[in-house]
Amino acid sequence: MSLALLLDEASQAKYLINLMTAAGHDVLTVNGVGMNGSSDEDVLAYAQRTGRTLLTRNCDDFRELHEKNPKHSGIVAIYIAWKPQIIPEKAASMAL
């Protein structure tokens, strides 16, 4: 299954882009579509308009946006913890 993804500013490392593209996904970045510096609301709106799933490490802000308006093309929120012991609790609370 191939995904149409939009990677936000926090998630657009070249290595990740190359991995996702090599796996057959259609990957765009915020920089690539001229939205660098745009608000989270505008980024999510763009993803929705273009039918893309947003990939982000900005979990808290996009969770709030999801709760305000759950009608979007999807959000993949990648949580990276510095304290591994909190991952299960945080991950459970971050499920979108």
Side-chain angles (χ1 to χ4, degrees), residues 10-95:
S11 308
Q12 53 189 0
K14 284 201 179 274
Y15 183 70
L16 177 60
I17 296 166
N18 291 339
L19 284 175
M20 300 299 283
T21 303
H25 301 294
D26 177 11
V27 180
L28 293 179
T29 65
V30 170
N31 284 353
V33 298
M35 294 190 70
N36 193 33
S38 295
S39 70
D40 293 341
E41 292 88 352
D42 288 344
V43 170
L44 186 57
Y46 178 86
Q48 182 177 359
R49 279 193 315 275
T50 59
R52 293 183 173 273
T53 299
L54 179 70
L55 189 141
T56 184
R57 294 185 320 178
N58 186 356
C59 300
D60 293 334
D61 290 346
F62 281 100
R63 180 175 180 86
E64 287 178 23
L65 289 175
H66 166 74
E67 289 171 354
K68 289 178 185 175
N69 182 8
K71 295 181 180 182
H72 50 73
S73 301
I75 300 172
V76 175
I78 301 171
Y79 179 75
I80 300 173
W82 295 108
K83 298 179 182 179
Q85 67 273 16
I86 68 169
I87 289 176
E89 297 85 21
K90 188 70 173 182
S93 72
M94 294 303 299

